Amino acid sequence: MTPSKVRVKKKILSHKLVPKHELLSVEEAAKVLKEYNVKPYQLPHISVNDPVVRLLNGHPGNIIRITRKSPTAGESVVYRIVVAY
Amino acid sequence: MAKSLKSALTAASEILPPKIYEELVEKLESSDLNVKQKRAVVEEAVREYLSSQVHPGEAVGIVGAQSIGEPGTQMTLRTFHYAGMLEFDVTLGLPRLIEIVDARKKPSTPTMKIYLVDKIGKDLEKAREIARRIEYTTIEKVISEIQKDIVNYTITIVFDKEMMDDKGVTLDDVIPLLKKLKIGDIEITDDNPPTLTIYLNEDVDIRTLSRVEDKIKQTKIKGIKGITKVAIEAEKDRDGNLIEYIIVTEGSNLAEILDVKGVDYTRTHTNDITETAEVLGIEAARNLIIREMQDVLEKQGLDVDIRHLMLVADLMTWSGRVKAIGRTGIVGEKSSPLARAAFEETQKHLYKAAAMGEIEDFKGITESIVAGKVIKVGTGMIILTQEVR
């Protein structure tokens, strides 16, 4: 389904620059949208062709939870919605 | 009493960011305050944290732009060159900052920092071996001369012994490659300097001969495409003790370098943001934007709060792709025609908006100012309505 030009490798997930990504279930996603009181398109986007999304097998419409290591807060959680381009 | 401290801490852990909370707990444990005082400290920490948060409606973008722009004016326009043993340039200073914010497809001086796995990171010989393996080497780089003989249809290649040793290339590496080209029989005609003569298969004119020469020169011996130069750098701690050797390159090819054996693929990185977005994803690109900008500012001795840089990086990666700030990127894509017209190329945007029948809904700041309306920032964000009963 996702157009794959290059093969993505699991090892990129352990790269220092790549934070933890998790694919949310529909229930979790609905909870997140309710908590932040936003519509899906108001979340930051992430492409289906993003290597990490491809490894997680994400599809457009899925919401991804990203746990960033932040130099100011220690850890911060953000959400991105998978979009099709 | 101890119980109330515990409950205060649990309450604090839900409000404070993990890093501040951990620091607080650590400081409390090492202090000799009594429980009551500790509780007061926790409460004060929470109060202070809440009061220092950004207020709703605060124009964080403007504050960020000012905070980066003001020290930016003090930055020298001159491109600084890498000091030390490295022979190649790295763009720094204002040109580099502009490059990052403009989201150029290729940085003007792409470079990589290749870290090696623990076992070989401290071994200079092994590091050198990997460096040789990844440097893109063509035959052209190891020869001193190439002669064409149009009477006898031969090409004579004189190799440069020093360069060959430096790059770790032997004649045995080169001959099979030349055979693969299928241009003729090869004979070693001299040993010092090593010389090869190729007898061409057929009689050719001078143009074909030149083409064959180019083909020979550009034949790849080894290496990774894009890596034009390599150098080894010793990373030392403050006391001058060696931590490890790292390979610094000119040119960048992240995807292939990460696959090289012996390379630590968790730390190796490039300064090419677009490439990072392709190989490691948009979040990695965001982290790299922050890191690169901080690096540039730090090297110039400027102290810009990282939160401003994070905001810029967040905005640039919001759409899932790395977008420039400015006319070609974020500002250029604003939905409000007046906001775009106020920025750059006023007539073009107005004519276009008129021709396309665009609608201005005065939701943003710029267009509200143009029209003399209250801007939706700070107290302007709040609208009072009366409930009709």
Side-chain angles (χ1 to χ4, degrees):
Chain A
M1 173 159 183
T2 48
S4 52
K5 279 177 282 167
V6 217
R7 263 184 58 224
V8 282
K9 301 209 170 79
K10 269 230 156 73
K11 63 170 140 188
I12 64 163
L13 294 181
S14 57
H15 198 282
K16 286 254 160 67
L17 286 172
V18 182
K20 189 170 136 207
H21 292 59
E22 294 163 281
L23 201 64
L24 296 190
S25 66
V26 180
E27 294 79 32
E28 285 174 302
K31 225 174 105 190
V32 168
L33 293 177
K34 205 167 170 215
E35 188 193 333
Y36 288 91
N37 190 24
V38 288
K39 303 210 170 67
Y41 66 85
Q42 290 172 318
L43 291 172
H45 299 173
I46 189 167
S47 165
V48 258
N49 294 318
D50 192 275
V52 184
V53 176
R54 269 161 64 190
L55 283 173
L56 294 174
N57 198 21
H59 294 295
N62 287 150
I63 289 176
I64 289 183
R65 177 192 285 132
I66 297 157
T67 314
R68 291 175 181 159
K69 276 196 198 73
S70 155
T72 49
E75 204 170 73
S76 75
V77 177
V78 291
Y79 299 90
R80 278 183 189 267
I81 182 159
V82 180
V83 291
Y85 57 70
Chain B
M1 242 349 189
K3 211 174 161 192
S4 70
L5 175 64
K6 220 172 186 181
S7 68
L9 273 174
T10 7
S13 74
E14 271 166 33
I15 298 167
L16 298 178
K19 204 177 168 189
I20 297 175
Y21 178 72
E22 271 160 36
E23 206 182 320
L24 178 68
V25 172
E26 202 181 289
K27 288 266 160 69
L28 282 180
E29 269 166 12
S30 61
S31 77
D32 44 8
L33 298 171
N34 65 38
V35 176
K36 202 177 167 190
Q37 285 167 323
K38 279 184 180 174
R39 205 190 130 94
V41 169
V42 173
E43 273 165 8
E44 179 62 18
V46 171
R47 199 195 61 77
E48 184 65 29
Y49 172 73
L50 289 177
S51 73
S52 57
Q53 278 184 318
V54 172
H55 297 169
E58 177 82 53
V60 286
I62 299 287
V63 175
Q66 286 172 345
S67 306
I68 297 170
E70 191 269 328
T73 57
Q74 293 168 34
M75 245 194 248
T76 5
L77 286 151
R78 188 158 60 97
T79 314
F80 279 92
H81 298 278
Y82 226 98
M85 57 178 278
L86 286 182
E87 62 264 52
F88 40 80
D89 298 339
V90 176
T91 313
L92 286 172
L94 199 60
R96 175 66 185 145
L97 202 63
I98 293 170
E99 205 171 86
I100 298 167
V101 170
D102 274 352
R104 301 263 167 82
K105 280 274 150 356
K106 273 264 163 278
S108 58
T109 51
T111 170
M112 289 188 79
K113 258 196 180 152
I114 302 171
Y115 289 83
L116 303 168
V117 289
D118 282 349
K119 270 179 280 169
I120 50 180
K122 286 192 168 68
D123 188 335
L124 184 60
E125 260 324 298
K126 284 199 174 129
R128 226 176 239 150
E129 193 206 306
I130 291 179
R132 276 179 183 161
R133 206 150 26 119
I134 59 175
E135 186 177 16
Y136 193 72
T137 313
T138 54
I139 291 183
E140 193 178 9
K141 277 194 178 168
V142 292
I143 58 174
S144 58
E145 208 182 336
I146 190 158
Q147 292 158 354
K148 294 168 284 183
D149 186 337
I150 25 171
V151 180
N152 302 316
Y153 302 111
T154 59
I155 293 178
T156 309
I157 308 169
V158 184
F159 288 91
D160 185 332
K161 191 90 185 95
E162 256 175 53
M163 282 308 276
M164 284 175 87
D165 288 344
D166 184 46
K167 310 270 184 212
V169 175
T170 58
L171 270 190
D172 296 340
D173 297 329
V174 180
I175 292 172
L177 291 169
L178 288 173
K179 277 192 178 141
K180 244 193 209 156
L181 288 176
K182 290 194 179 125
I183 42 174
D185 295 325
I186 299 158
E187 196 188 312
I188 301 173
T189 41
D190 201 345
D191 254 352
N192 198 22
T195 307
L196 288 179
T197 305
I198 304 171
Y199 298 96
L200 295 184
N201 289 338
E202 52 206 281
D203 300 355
V204 286
D205 58 51
I206 187 143
R207 271 189 28 229
T208 330
L209 207 58
S210 298
R211 214 158 49 224
V212 170
E213 184 195 346
D214 284 343
K215 214 164 144 192
I216 291 170
K217 274 186 179 169
Q218 272 146 35
T219 301
K220 168 189 163 185
I221 302 172
K222 59 181 178 173
I224 287 170
K225 216 178 158 204
I227 309 296
T228 47
K229 258 190 207 167
V230 291
I232 309 237
E233 215 176 57
E235 200 138 270
K236 290 178 176 153
D237 64 13
R238 236 177 262 160
D239 304 327
N241 300 318
L242 178 83
I243 301 172
E244 62 185 331
Y245 289 105
I246 55 175
I247 303 173
V248 185
T249 71
E250 190 182 273
S252 168
N253 189 340
L254 186 62
E256 281 182 47
I257 291 283
L258 291 183
D259 282 343
V260 173
K261 226 179 137 202
V263 166
D264 183 350
Y265 56 78
T266 63
R267 290 185 295 160
T268 296
H269 61 90
T270 163
N271 71 348
D272 187 334
I273 290 159
T274 320
E275 190 182 22
T276 302
E278 269 163 31
V279 179
L280 298 176
I282 193 70
E283 279 293 318
R286 176 187 172 273
N287 282 332
L288 190 67
I289 292 171
I290 297 169
R291 197 200 269 186
E292 287 282 314
M293 285 205 285
Q294 206 182 14
D295 233 41
V296 169
L297 294 167
E298 223 161 65
K299 280 204 179 111
Q300 303 270 323
L302 302 173
D303 187 26
V304 175
D305 195 293
I306 193 172
R307 277 160 261 245
H308 301 309
L309 308 180
M310 283 157 88
L311 184 74
V312 171
D314 271 336
L315 197 64
M316 285 176 70
T317 57
W318 193 93
S319 65
R321 285 176 295 178
V322 183
K323 257 193 200 148
I325 295 198
R327 177 178 45 206
T328 51
I330 291 153
V331 179
E333 281 170 23
K334 275 190 178 177
S335 61
S336 157
L338 277 182
R340 272 179 284 132
F343 180 58
E344 268 172 8
E345 299 173 305
T346 308
Q347 278 122 326
K348 189 188 117 185
H349 281 118
L350 290 180
Y351 282 137
K352 232 180 178 173
M356 304 299 284
E358 283 184 52
I359 292 166
E360 176 62 71
D361 47 20
F362 295 106
K363 284 220 170 102
I365 311 299
T366 318
E367 54 269 36
S368 301
I369 292 172
V370 171
K373 293 179 60 150
V374 175
I375 55 171
K376 289 194 172 103
V377 157
T379 48
M381 269 188 101
I382 287 109
I383 304 165
L384 280 180
T385 51
Q386 195 174 11
E387 202 177 348
V388 186
R389 283 181 196 276

